[in-house]
Amino acid sequence: HGVKIVGHRNVPSRLAADTSALFSRNIYNFLSAFWDAETKAPVFPDDDEIVVGVRLTRGGEIVSERLKG
C-alpha cells in the first residue's frame, strides 16, 4: 500500500545502551550538584529541597514521608 517503514529491526537491543547512558548521565549530574571537591564526597544538606525530595533514609531510619505513610 505504498508504506515504507524505516528503522532498526531489533529495537530492544539498541535501547539498553541508550538507557544505560541516560541513567549514568543523570546520576552524574545529580551527584555533581552536591559534590564537595575538598572532601571528595557528596554533601546532602538537610534543607535542600532536592535532597528532601529524594532522600528515603538517613542513619538507618526512614525519613521519607511517602514511605512512612
Side-chain angles (χ1 to χ4, degrees), residues 25-65:
R25 191 175 322 123
N26 284 341
I27 294 295
Y28 171 80
N29 288 333
F30 175 77
L31 290 176
S32 67
F34 299 102
W35 193 257
D36 182 356
E38 191 173 303
T39 62
K40 296 184 179 178
V43 176
F44 300 114
D46 290 331
D47 61 345
D48 187 284
E49 81 177 276
I50 295 173
V51 172
V52 170
V54 300
R55 180 177 280 155
L56 302 177
T57 64
R58 182 175 186 144
E61 300 293 322
I62 296 175
V63 297
S64 170
E65 293 301 321

